[in-house]
């Protein structure tokens, strides 16, 4: 590696460090937002940014079916990656990704409210995560690839090395949601006596923060704190390391 | 070389502190707004409940001719609510009205004809629903106040709070002993 190449990496390190710092501060702000807003009871939910906690009662119309595990769900996202080789290394390329969501009702001990998960950051664990030869995957995965015209066969019909990931939100799953409470477009104004019937939780037009997680608030805050410190410390180290080399290169030091 | 590294480190720390101050300030503004919003959300429900009471009284007074005392207490509590100025007075009037309504609905159990009246059943359900929502929103308001009060008393946020003159704790939605005495009711 020559000196100019190292200089280029150093510039990338400084820029990357600044980006990490910015994301660190965004994470800090989001953590504060979660801390600042108390959890609302569903029956007395007010309009605006709200935090609720409960379990999925039912879908508004019908459930979706997850692509790889064939389960009933209200949200799924997936990715299919393929391993490729260059002269120097092997790397993964995403060849297909997608997500879909259905409106659902979240229930706590006081009532139910309609949630539209479209546009939310959904933080749930994998429901399916497997790496291996494509033709040896479960039949649901093969069916999905065939119906979506994903080329999973390699040279003379042999399988390719592929990676599959799926995340789903299932019925009865407990969820933490922070989103915007707005007028429910599916209920005519004044026709329902219950306050929560007139409300839908969705991504706000002004406040874009919309977060859905299976973790309770305390655990979620710990995750945010860890992410924030990693981003801030990582960003600072990258800037210091990168800037030091740039200064050395330019003979400033 | 070490001076340069210290210089870069100090710049990062300074930028960090500036962002932190901005973030704490914005956070305190947000907490203040949350409190005002939560208070307005309680007041909306208190008003809705007060508006339902004349309808309730006119429905029940035909059946409960011999329970004038109970009806008077509801009316008195409603008047206290309308006249309440401070948060503590509103909380005391709310407690009084909730108590009077509880007694009214308990006494109504002795009047089968009243219990069969559709408009009474509807009003009872509506008012009970509002009572529950008011209780939830009181709790939400007090949580919002608690979040703000903890933040302005915790280090290092208290430095920014003091600097921005946000160091006065907010009042909870709770009746003071004085206001409780003022609206004491006896059945």
């Amino acid at each position: 590696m020559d000196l100019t190449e190292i200089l280029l990496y150093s510039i990338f390190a400084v820029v990357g460090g600044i980006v990490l710092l910015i994301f660190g501060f965004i994470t800090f702000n989001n953590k504060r937002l979660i801390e600042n807003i108390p959890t609302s009871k569903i029956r007395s939910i007010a309009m605006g940014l709200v935090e609720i906690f409960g379990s999925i009662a039912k879908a508004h119309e019908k459930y979706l079916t997850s692509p790889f595990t064939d389960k009933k769900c209200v949200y799924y996202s997936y990715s299919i990656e393929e391993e490729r080789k260059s002269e120097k290394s092997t790397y993964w390329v995403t060849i297909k990704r997608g997500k879909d969501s259905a409106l659902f009702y979240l229930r706590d001990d006081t009532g139910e409210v309609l949630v539209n998960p479209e546009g939310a950051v959904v933080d749930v664990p994998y429901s399916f995560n497997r790496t291996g030869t494509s033709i040896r995957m479960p039949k649901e995965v093969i069916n999905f690839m065939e119906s979506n015209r994903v080329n999973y066969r390699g040279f003379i019909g042999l399988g390719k090395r592929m990676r599959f990931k799926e995340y789903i939100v299932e019925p009865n799953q407990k969820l933490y949601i922070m989103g915007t409470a707005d007028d429910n477009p599916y209920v005519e104004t004044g026709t329902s006596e219950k306050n929560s019937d007139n409300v839908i939780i969705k991504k706000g037009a002004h406040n874009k923060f919309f977060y859905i997680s299976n973790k309770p608030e305390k655990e979620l805050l710990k995750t945010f704190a860890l992410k924030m410190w990693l981003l801030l410390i990582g960003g600072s180290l990258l800037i210091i390391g990168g800037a030091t080399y740039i200064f050395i290169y330019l003979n400033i030091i | 070389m070490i001076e340069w590294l210290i210089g870069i480190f100090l710049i990062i720390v300074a930028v960090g502190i500036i962002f932190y101050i901005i973030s704490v300030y914005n956070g305190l503004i947000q907490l203040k707004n949350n409190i005002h919003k939560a208070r307005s959300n309680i007041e909306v429900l208190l008003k809705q409940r007060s508006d339902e009471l004349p309808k309730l009284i006119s429905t029940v007074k035909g059946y409960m001719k011999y329970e004038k005392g109970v009806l008077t207490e509801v009316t008195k509590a409603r008047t206290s609510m309308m006249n309440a100025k401070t948060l503590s007075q509103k909380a005391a009037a709310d407690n009084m009205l909730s108590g009077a309504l509880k007694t009214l609905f308990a006494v109504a159990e002795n009047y089968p004809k009243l219990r069969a009246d559709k408009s009474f059943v509807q009003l009872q359900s509506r008012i009970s629903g509002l009572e529950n929502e008011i209780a939830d929103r009181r709790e939400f308001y007090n949580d919002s106040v608690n979040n703000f009060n903890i933040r302005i008393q915790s280090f290092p946020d208290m430095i920014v709070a003091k600097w921005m003159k946000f160091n006065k704790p907010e009042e909870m939605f709770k009746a003071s002993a004085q206001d409780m005495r003022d609206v004491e009711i006896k059945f």
Side-chain angles (χ1 to χ4, degrees), chain A residues 77-88:
Chain A
S77 72
Y78 68 89
S79 67
I80 303 173
E81 292 166 285
E82 186 182 300
E83 194 180 67
R84 291 196 184 153
K85 288 183 176 122
S86 68
E87 278 178 22
K88 288 181 184 174

Side-chain angles (χ1 to χ4, degrees), chain A residues 15-250:
Chain A
V15 175
I18 292 169
V19 172
L20 289 188
L21 278 186
I22 292 168
F23 276 106
F25 283 113
I26 291 172
T27 310
F28 173 71
N29 275 335
N30 289 341
K31 179 178 166 279
R32 276 285 162 99
L33 195 65
I34 293 173
E35 285 170 339
N36 286 352
I37 296 182
T39 308
S40 294
K41 295 265 171 63
I42 285 175
R43 73 176 162 207
S44 60
I45 222 159
M47 296 295 177
L49 192 66
V50 292
E51 174 185 280
I52 48 174
F53 190 79
S55 54
I56 297 176
K58 57 182 186 265
H60 178 56
E61 281 173 353
K62 58 178 187 174
Y63 286 107
L64 305 168
T65 305
S66 63
F68 301 155
T69 49
D70 211 18
K71 284 182 181 169
K72 263 199 320 188
C73 61
V74 291
Y75 170 91
Y76 69 74
S77 72
Y78 68 89
S79 67
I80 303 173
E81 292 166 285
E82 186 182 300
E83 194 180 67
R84 291 196 184 153
K85 288 183 176 122
S86 68
E87 278 178 22
K88 288 181 184 174
S89 61
T90 57
Y91 56 94
W92 290 97
V93 176
T94 305
I95 53 170
K96 190 161 180 68
R97 67 166 77 229
K99 60 180 171 183
D100 199 2
S101 59
L103 276 71
F104 64 89
Y105 288 91
L106 193 83
R107 178 197 292 151
D108 71 2
D109 53 355
T110 64
E112 285 179 7
V113 68
L114 188 61
V115 179
N116 180 1
E118 205 181 318
V121 174
V122 181
D123 171 20
V124 289
Y126 301 120
S127 52
F128 187 86
N129 180 21
R130 202 177 287 184
T131 306
T133 311
S134 56
I135 52 170
R136 291 200 188 128
M137 288 294 148
K139 70 171 192 315
E140 290 84 5
V141 179
I142 303 277
N143 289 345
F144 179 79
M145 287 194 288
E146 280 176 352
S147 59
N148 284 276
R149 294 180 183 177
V150 176
N151 181 13
Y152 65 99
R153 289 185 188 276
F155 182 62
I156 55 164
L158 294 173
K160 293 176 181 176
R161 193 166 156 73
M162 293 175 104
R163 188 156 67 190
F164 302 86
K165 286 179 191 164
E166 180 197 84
Y167 305 84
I168 60 170
V169 178
E170 291 178 271
N172 298 319
Q173 192 168 356
K174 283 194 171 164
L175 290 182
Y176 165 93
I177 300 179
M178 182 173 273
T180 302
D182 208 340
D183 282 324
N184 185 350
Y186 301 95
V187 172
E188 221 176 289
T189 316
T191 54
S192 176
E193 277 215 351
K194 277 194 210 160
N195 167 57
S196 55
D197 288 348
N198 299 315
V199 174
I200 185 168
I201 310 293
K202 59 177 197 172
K203 186 173 186 169
H206 304 295
N207 203 320
K208 306 279 182 200
F209 191 68
F210 188 19
Y211 201 85
I212 296 179
S213 173
N214 68 321
K215 296 177 190 137
E217 189 178 351
K218 267 191 184 169
E219 210 180 306
L220 197 63
L221 286 172
K222 275 185 199 163
T223 313
F224 269 73
L226 181 71
K227 189 175 156 195
M228 177 191 86
W229 284 115
L230 286 176
L231 287 167
L232 292 178
I233 294 169
S236 305
L237 291 176
L238 275 178
I239 293 172
I240 292 173
T244 308
Y245 185 77
I246 293 169
F247 288 140
I248 292 171
Y249 184 84
L250 297 173

